[in-house]
Amino acid sequence: MSVIETDDLLALARDIAREAGGMLLDRRPEILRTDTKSTPTDVVTEMDRAAEDLIRTRIRAARPGDGIVGEESGEAAGSGAERVRWVVDPIDGTVNYLYGLPLWTVSIGIEVDARAIIGVVAVPGLSTTYSAAVGGGAWAEAGGQRREIHASGARDLATSLIATGFPYAAEGRARHGAAVATMLPQVRDIRRSGAASLDLCWVADGRVDAYLERGLHVWDACAGSVICREAGAVVDRLDGGDLGADDLPEALVVASAPGIAGQIRDLARAVGLG
Ligand code: LIP
């Protein structure tokens, strides 16, 4: 794919994410209709579905041959010669959206030949859009200003701020909570935003020094991982597997400032997250 095409794709993904984010802000009903998914705490709202429909419609109109995988309506294979796949989470942080908290995103990643090359994470509640394309740096746009973002210069785990998230199933939650409790006295503090894509962007933007979570799906991680890497952060799976692989939900995803990459992964193993 040429640079020009990459720029066009990035601009399209940014426009679509912002349009969906604006719709989610403007049309959020006072009382949201919800269903549950994997567990009673794993919810989907009518607005997740409406946003995914809008995003799919816009992608189909602009690029009918591309594949799309979305959190709410699964996989639609592409028919184009180039293997382009859009990886869409219409609302990452659905529970925050449900409660009227501002920490939710529209996350859109694009893979070419199974390699994530573009990431856009719109955070309408914070009026910020993060974006990156491979080789072009990572960027945050807010209030008409655009600035390049970089992972923090943290070098010492004891003074590092660590974000995490918990899986929906009770047993996994209990296990992860116990591991985080063991970790807590060894780091500056712990944060839990409730939106994995935002946690990844916060690592990219130096708002936290590292992030780790088990149970992510490709739509949680795809866009944010491109943004992290372009910002100089290290993002991978503790088991060494591929972030785009089907077994991603089994793996611990770790993103960190480069200066604590080894320390945070050693600590994750030491507290039993390996
Ligand atoms: C959620 C994440 C959150 C994580 C949850 C879930 P959803 O995504 O982003 O941080 O802890 O397990 O995956 O369901 O709101 O799109």
Side-chain angles (χ1 to χ4, degrees), residues 68-89:
I68 307 174
V69 61
E71 177 170 18
E72 310 311 338
S73 28
E75 180 104 37
S79 58
E82 255 174 340
R83 296 200 306 127
V84 177
R85 183 172 82 149
W86 294 67
V87 183
V88 174
D89 194 343

Side-chain angles (χ1 to χ4, degrees), residues 37 42-43 48 71-72 89-96 164-168 173 192-199 211 213-217 219-220:
K37 298 194 288 183
D42 181 6
V43 289
D48 293 71
E71 177 170 18
E72 310 311 338
D89 194 343
I91 305 182
D92 183 31
T94 300
V95 174
N96 286 343
T164 193
F166 298 91
Y168 284 117
R173 258 171 199 229
R192 198 300 194 232
S193 80
S197 57
L198 183 59
D199 289 319
Y211 158 70
E213 178 162 358
R214 186 186 305 282
L216 299 187
H217 291 87
W219 46 81
D220 297 308

Side-chain angles (χ1 to χ4, degrees), residues 103 130 147 149-157 159-165 187-213 228 231-234 254-260 264:
L103 303 182
Y130 294 98
R147 65 187 167 84
I149 59 172
H150 303 281
S152 83
R155 306 203 66 79
D156 175 19
L157 203 53
T159 53
S160 291
L161 187 60
I162 312 299
T164 193
V187 298
R188 184 189 294 277
D189 209 341
I190 298 288
R191 294 289 180 270
R192 198 300 194 232
S193 80
S197 57
L198 183 59
D199 289 319
L200 289 165
C201 291
W202 278 352
V203 172
D205 200 7
R207 302 304 200 226
V208 296
D209 300 306
Y211 158 70
L212 40 82
E213 178 162 358
C228 265
V234 181
V254 187
S256 70
I260 55 164
I264 185 69

Side-chain angles (χ1 to χ4, degrees), residues 89-154:
D89 194 343
I91 305 182
D92 183 31
T94 300
V95 174
N96 286 343
Y97 185 78
L98 181 63
Y99 280 75
L101 296 170
L103 303 182
W104 53 271
T105 80
V106 178
S107 176
I108 300 182
I110 301 178
E111 297 171 343
V112 175
D113 289 328
R115 177 174 171 244
I117 62 153
I118 285 171
V120 174
V121 175
V123 199
L126 303 181
S127 307
T128 300
T129 303
Y130 294 98
S131 63
V134 166
W139 300 85
E141 290 172 68
Q145 306 282 344
R146 187 168 181 264
R147 65 187 167 84
E148 189 160 12
I149 59 172
H150 303 281
S152 83

